[in-house]
Amino acid sequence: MNISYNWLKNYLNIDLAPTKISEILTSIGLEVGSVEEIQSVKGGLEGLVIGEVLTCERHPNADKLSVTTVNVGGDEPLPIVCGAPNVAAGQKVVVATVGTVLYDGDESFTIKKSKIRGEVSEGMICAEDEIGLGTSHAGIMVLPSDVQVGTLAKDHFKIENDTVFEVDLTPNRIDAASHYGVARDLAAYLKQSGEAVELTLPSIDDFKIDNNNFPVTVTVENNEACPRYCGVTISDVKVGESPEWLQNRLKAIGLNPINNIVDVTNFILHELGQPLHAFDGAITGDKVIVKTLADGTQFETLDEMKRELSDNDLMICNAEEGMCIAGVFGGSKSGVSEATTKVFLESAYFNPVWVRKTAKRHTLSTDASFRFERGIDPNITIYALKRAALLIKEVAGGTISSEITDIYPSPVQPFEVAISYKNVARLIGKEIGTDRIKAIVTALEMEITEETTEGLKLSVPPYRVDVQREADVIEDILRIYGYNNIEMPNTVHSTIVYSQKPDDHKVKNRIANQLMSVGYNEIMCNSLTKADYYEGLESYPRNQVVELANPLSNDLNGMRQTLIFGGLESIQHNRNRRNSDLKFFEFGNCYSIKPESEKTDLNNYSEGQRLALFLTGNKTQTNWNTSEQATSFFDLKNHIENILVRLGLSFDDFKEEDTTSDLLGEGLAYSAGKTVITFGTVNGKLLKAFDIDAAVYYAEIDWDLLLKKSAKKEIIYKEISKFPEVKRDLALVLNKDVKFAQVKQIALKTEKKLLKSVSLFDVFEGEKLGEGKKSYAVSFILQDETSTLKDKQIDKIMNKLMSTYEHQLGAQIRK
């Protein structure tokens, strides 16, 4: 945002150096990115003087050139060759003398003494576009006859020097998105610093209704989208160029003048931060209606693009059709043109949410929408309307031809905020005195409604949309008091070397590298998701979705409870592009709210980190020595086991349970008080909903719980035993519903001292075993770390194991 120093001084009686202004603005939170000295005309018309053409004769060697002598106030007239068709003796003209630099955009050239077709030329008689005073190149500029010869052009045309501050405005400070807004902050700082400054707005006392020749009836059908709407009409205007002062103001901040009516609305926007819109009165007729139109209605905007409206786009309409997308962009038919003789001038306060959604929907970003969607001052609309009407009368003539319409059924109330002196000192880190605090809040236009020895109750004006809490007020007090005025303490009360154990960031990187080394790709899905995904689910109920109050769309209206849907969207996207062999992982946060709970209570919300793994397609492709092999549930389990090993854990540290849900078919869950790991095959109905016709294996790990479990795991070092391990195998015929986990668990309970590990190396099913039966081939590792095991010890342990399996599982030992 550009702020003109000359313009700023219209509201403040200051004479500070621009560099000092820049320092102050940066110190109070309006950071100045750059400071640039400019002139209303590039080059400042240096070297240009007013001259009088004394003689003008046709060039002897060129039909379209003239040879002139021009008096520029020097000792001798200058010979100048001129190609303009309108040059004549007796004219007062603008002359660029030898050495003058003229600009054409970013390019420049220097006037030199030269010979043109044999005739000497010592200067140039200028057209208005050649010196930046207009766009016409039909001929040279001819000035009034009473202009004094030898007058410097910069003095005659009143070239203005200015300084422009580029303010890097933060999104929360929309109250400062204008010259008056910046002046208001600057005045607050200077007042609390003891400077005698006065902040003033231009007077509107001269505003009056001239006649009632052009009354317009305004109807607001949607007060939610348009809380306040004001308007007035002006007749008998003459559309044309703006006066120099108005053009200079706009050019200083990088805007191109358009015409006097539009220039006034742009001027008010950057003066007060209140967007205005001027409609051609011939288009509005005698009726203006603020409403929405039917979904799919076609509307052509100022850029001559036809846009399809939503039934949630607020429109400014006449009796027959839409004229403007409210707060965002005007229509191609309703704008002010050279033929306009009467205007309807609009000043409104539109709901920020409605404007933001409409601007996003149509990918439009304008100066008006930028301000409306962040929240402007709802109480400045009438002042801005009167100020603009007076300026239009000044620069375009006309009469105010109707009463002011002001539809404001539910006035926006100030924010009531209480602050305590104790908290001010605690958050600022310094006692700054109650008198100073009261002076600052008063300078910031906050009204003190109640005062006690402990603190203040304040009424904060509605234009300060970012100041609604005690902390916000204290932040404002601090920035006006000055961050640099807070002394740095001599001691820092913190542990510099502290780092979380285990370090979440490092562990994540370690696991990510491990997964990528075995072919996984990391995905990063949006935390915002479609709340309808959770409709009808029991594992993640719909009423636990954290819903957005102002969603951008129905596809992004809730916070995710699980990572599965984002991963399935990614799988669907890849499979639709013939990339079907996929390994994905994602670290991400998931969110939920307690059902039927108070949404304003933060204790009802939960947020946690998860790690998700996705497997689908083939893990190997057909090759000369390898056949195609699909991924499986056990591949996923192996990858999870490797993650646990890397964290110093194993599946043995958790309780294993079979699980099924509305998201997973067959699967396993591992818990340690709470469920930490869940994995299995994605439910077929869910795959069908995402149009995925292949098996997808999915794991979701509660990362926070896993890290806590890992942190409690002690690493123990011990010497390698000098005595050998002994391996024994058993083939067990069991019922099909018996899991290997049961076999392992029974073995470890039966022999706690010498049994080191139990592993499954073969599973067999067949008719010979009998219906409902299967065979597990299980290996047992035995070891005594103090002596070599004897056969009798080994046989005793194995017999005990076989007996236990027969008794507890009904197992048969295959020979």
Side-chain angles (χ1 to χ4, degrees):
M1 180 185 70
N2 290 332
I3 295 295
S4 158
Y5 183 43
N6 291 345
W7 195 344
L8 197 64
K9 290 195 290 185
N10 289 344
Y11 318 108
L12 280 177
N13 56 327
I14 56 172
D15 196 24
L16 297 172
T19 53
K20 182 62 176 177
I21 295 289
S22 173
E23 291 174 7
I24 293 173
L25 292 179
T26 298
S27 73
I28 60 177
L30 302 177
E31 185 175 354
V32 176
S34 65
V35 180
E36 181 183 4
E37 293 186 1
I38 65 164
Q39 296 164 313
S40 55
V41 175
K42 191 169 184 178
L45 301 185
E46 292 292 339
L48 296 166
V49 295
I50 307 301
E52 180 180 9
V53 181
L54 302 178
T55 64
C56 179
E57 298 177 356
R58 179 172 293 181
H59 195 294
N61 301 317
D63 292 339
K64 294 185 179 181
L65 298 179
S66 299
V67 179
T68 68
T69 55
V70 184
N71 176 19
V72 293
D75 296 335
E76 298 289 336
L78 300 177
I80 297 176
V81 176
C82 180
N86 65 328
V87 65
Q91 293 174 333
K92 296 291 179 68
V93 294
V94 180
V95 178
T97 56
V98 173
T100 299
V101 178
L102 298 182
Y103 296 88
D104 182 12
D106 293 330
E107 298 181 0
S108 64
F109 63 94
T110 304
I111 302 299
K112 299 177 181 178
K113 181 178 180 180
S114 61
K115 275 192 175 184
I116 303 175
R117 296 287 183 93
E119 296 293 328
V120 174
S121 183
E122 296 183 6
M124 173 179 167
I125 303 175
C126 301
E128 63 178 36
D129 69 325
E130 293 170 329
I131 56 178
L133 292 175
T135 57
S136 173
H137 195 69
I140 60 171
M141 289 185 72
V142 179
L143 306 178
S145 58
D146 60 350
V147 179
Q148 184 70 37
V149 171
T151 302
L152 297 178
K154 64 180 180 181
D155 295 334
H156 174 74
F157 291 105
K158 299 178 181 178
I159 298 303
E160 188 176 89
N161 297 320
D162 199 356
T163 301
V164 173
F165 307 100
E166 183 186 14
V167 178
D168 299 328
L169 198 66
T170 53
N172 64 312
R173 291 302 312 280
I174 196 62
D175 63 288
S178 66
H179 283 76
Y180 183 72
V182 171
R184 184 167 50 204
D185 252 22
L186 188 57
Y189 176 85
L190 294 173
K191 284 179 182 178
Q192 70 88 30
S193 300
E195 299 284 342
V197 295
E198 186 178 352
L199 179 68
T200 57
L201 274 171
S203 173
I204 54 171
D205 292 342
D206 292 338
F207 180 88
K208 64 183 179 65
I209 310 302
D210 296 313
N211 54 61
N212 203 25
N213 294 340
F214 183 29
V216 173
T217 302
V218 177
T219 304
V220 177
E221 294 186 2
N222 190 327
N223 291 115
E224 178 195 353
C226 180
R228 188 174 194 180
Y229 193 88
C230 309
V232 73
T233 63
I234 307 170
S235 301
D236 302 320
V237 297
K238 186 175 181 180
V239 178
E241 282 192 357
S242 296
E244 285 184 9
W245 73 266
L246 180 52
Q247 291 195 42
N248 288 345
R249 286 286 179 266
L250 298 180
K251 287 177 181 177
I253 60 174
L255 295 181
N256 293 321
I258 299 172
N259 61 54
N260 46 13
I261 305 292
V262 175
D263 290 350
V264 165
T265 62
N266 284 333
F267 177 85
I268 297 297
L269 170 72
H270 291 277
E271 178 184 53
L272 303 173
Q274 171 66 51
L276 304 176
H277 195 82
F279 295 91
D280 189 326
I283 304 300
T284 60
D286 62 356
K287 187 172 290 188
V288 169
I289 307 170
V290 184
K291 63 179 182 178
T292 56
L293 298 177
D295 196 47
T297 301
Q298 295 290 318
F299 180 71
E300 186 175 292
T301 46
L302 272 173
D303 54 4
E304 298 183 347
M305 285 186 62
K306 288 190 176 180
R307 303 178 187 275
E308 189 173 289
L309 299 177
S310 160
D311 55 7
N312 288 318
D313 292 332
L314 188 67
M315 298 292 294
I316 312 300
C317 309
N318 58 24
E320 299 176 356
E321 60 182 350
M323 299 185 295
C324 171
I325 302 177
V328 181
F329 211 26
S332 61
K333 299 178 182 177
S334 62
V336 172
S337 67
E338 292 181 0
T340 299
T341 58
K342 55 184 180 179
V343 298
F344 174 76
L345 188 61
E346 166 195 282
S347 178
Y349 172 73
F350 297 116
N351 187 308
V353 175
W354 280 70
V355 174
R356 181 167 60 250
K357 287 182 179 179
T358 294
K360 294 287 185 184
R361 191 177 294 121
H362 297 289
T363 61
L364 286 169
S365 180
T366 60
D367 284 339
S369 69
F370 176 83
R371 286 160 176 80
F372 276 127
E373 66 188 45
R374 285 162 176 80
I376 63 168
D377 184 0
N379 296 325
I380 205 173
T381 51
I382 292 293
Y383 174 86
L385 191 69
K386 291 181 177 180
R387 169 87 166 128
L390 289 172
L391 285 176
I392 288 174
K393 287 183 67 176
E394 177 186 331
V395 302
T399 58
I400 297 173
S401 302
S402 73
E403 298 290 334
I404 288 180
T405 298
D406 184 10
I407 300 175
Y408 197 18
S410 301
V412 178
Q413 299 301 316
F415 307 114
E416 302 299 328
V417 183
I419 65 168
S420 73
Y421 296 133
K422 181 180 178 181
N423 285 338
V424 173
R426 180 176 62 85
L427 292 179
I428 288 179
K430 179 181 179 180
E431 294 276 358
I432 64 174
T434 58
D435 290 340
R436 177 64 67 88
I437 291 171
K438 288 187 286 185
I440 291 175
V441 296
T442 302
L444 288 168
E445 300 185 355
M446 300 178 192
E447 181 185 352
I448 300 174
T449 58
E450 186 178 329
E451 182 179 355
T452 67
T453 55
E454 286 78 27
L456 305 171
K457 285 189 177 179
L458 304 172
S459 178
V460 181
Y463 68 78
R464 288 307 306 274
V465 293
D466 62 318
V467 182
Q468 300 184 30
R469 305 169 302 164
E470 182 183 30
D472 300 329
V473 175
I474 296 172
E475 181 186 6
D476 254 20
I477 293 171
L478 174 58
R479 68 181 183 82
I480 297 300
Y481 176 74
Y483 295 101
N484 294 334
N485 292 327
I486 307 299
E487 298 81 4
M488 288 292 291
N490 294 325
T491 57
V492 178
H493 300 288
S494 65
T495 306
I496 304 299
V497 296
Y498 171 78
S499 63
Q500 180 182 341
K501 302 292 185 181
D503 188 310
D504 180 65
H505 179 70
K506 288 184 179 179
V507 174
K508 278 182 180 175
N509 284 341
R510 190 179 302 140
I511 298 303
N513 289 335
Q514 176 178 316
L515 289 170
M516 287 187 287
S517 70
V518 291
Y520 277 84
N521 289 300
E522 184 171 11
I523 58 174
M524 298 178 69
C525 301
N526 200 334
S527 295
L528 300 179
T529 187
K530 188 188 298 184
D532 287 348
Y533 279 151
Y534 300 92
E535 201 69 54
L537 292 184
E538 293 182 6
S539 50
Y540 295 99
R542 175 70 166 78
N543 60 4
Q544 291 183 186
V545 175
V546 179
E547 296 192 55
L548 273 67
N550 303 305
L552 295 175
S553 70
N554 288 333
D555 289 338
L556 298 171
N557 60 348
M559 306 294 286
R560 63 188 178 190
Q561 294 189 69
T562 171
L563 303 179
I564 192 170
F565 296 114
L568 291 178
E569 288 174 353
S570 301
I571 290 172
Q572 179 192 44
H573 180 85
N574 277 270
R575 287 184 62 83
N576 288 344
R577 287 154 182 79
R578 298 192 176 186
N579 183 22
S580 56
D581 301 332
L582 304 170
K583 291 181 178 180
F584 289 154
F585 76 94
E586 178 180 13
F587 286 101
N589 287 356
C590 293
Y591 312 84
S592 65
I593 183 174
K594 294 178 183 177
E596 312 296 329
S597 63
E598 179 58 50
K599 293 186 177 180
T600 58
D601 186 353
L602 294 180
N603 293 321
N604 294 325
Y605 293 84
S606 63
E607 175 184 358
Q609 295 186 88
R610 307 282 177 81
L611 167 61
L613 305 180
F614 297 86
L615 275 180
T616 185
N618 295 319
K619 64 178 178 181
T620 59
Q621 299 292 330
T622 302
N623 206 335
W624 68 273
N625 66 346
T626 308
S627 59
E628 185 177 86
Q629 188 175 358
T631 54
S632 70
F633 172 88
F634 298 101
D635 293 319
L636 181 61
K637 185 177 182 182
N638 181 56
H639 295 152
I640 297 170
E641 189 171 16
N642 289 338
I643 292 172
L644 295 178
V645 169
R646 195 65 183 269
L647 295 176
L649 300 170
S650 72
F651 282 125
D652 293 337
D653 295 311
F654 302 92
K655 180 182 178 182
E656 180 185 294
E657 294 178 352
D658 293 340
T659 184
T660 58
S661 69
D662 37 23
L663 297 182
L664 296 180
E666 292 187 31
L668 293 174
Y670 289 86
S671 61
K674 294 181 180 180
T675 301
V676 179
I677 305 167
T678 305
F679 63 98
T681 308
V682 177
N683 190 297
K685 289 183 180 179
L686 191 56
L687 293 178
K688 187 175 181 181
F690 281 87
D691 196 25
I692 299 172
D693 58 359
V696 176
Y697 303 99
Y698 172 68
E700 186 161 303
I701 301 171
D702 190 314
W703 184 253
D704 294 325
L705 292 178
L706 188 64
L707 275 189
K708 286 181 181 178
K709 185 73 173 175
S710 175
K712 294 176 182 178
K713 190 76 172 181
E714 292 186 8
I715 300 174
I716 301 173
Y717 299 89
K718 61 180 180 179
E719 292 183 7
I720 297 174
S721 176
K722 300 176 182 178
F723 304 100
E725 296 177 346
V726 175
K727 180 181 178 185
R728 291 289 185 269
D729 298 335
L730 283 180
L732 305 174
V733 178
L734 302 160
N735 292 331
K736 279 189 176 181
D737 60 353
V738 177
K739 304 293 184 183
F740 171 69
Q742 295 173 260
V743 175
K744 183 176 180 180
Q745 197 172 39
I746 289 172
L748 293 173
K749 285 183 178 180
T750 302
E751 176 53 53
K752 297 179 180 180
K753 183 179 179 182
L754 301 180
L755 183 59
K756 300 303 180 182
S757 67
V758 183
S759 60
L760 178 69
F761 65 89
D762 188 34
V763 179
F764 173 74
E765 293 182 25
E767 295 179 0
K768 294 181 179 180
L769 295 178
E771 187 176 350
K773 298 290 185 178
K774 63 181 176 183
S775 174
Y776 277 163
V778 184
S779 284
F780 302 87
I781 302 296
L782 304 170
Q783 185 182 35
D784 187 342
E785 296 181 359
T786 60
S787 62
T788 301
L789 283 173
K790 297 181 172 59
D791 288 340
K792 285 184 179 181
Q793 289 177 284
I794 297 168
D795 291 342
K796 182 179 179 181
I797 292 171
M798 295 308 298
N799 289 333
K800 186 178 180 182
L801 287 173
M802 287 187 285
S803 175
T804 304
Y805 285 138
E806 289 172 353
H807 177 70
Q808 294 191 19
L809 299 178
Q812 299 175 21
I813 310 302
R814 293 180 66 194
K815 303 296 185 183

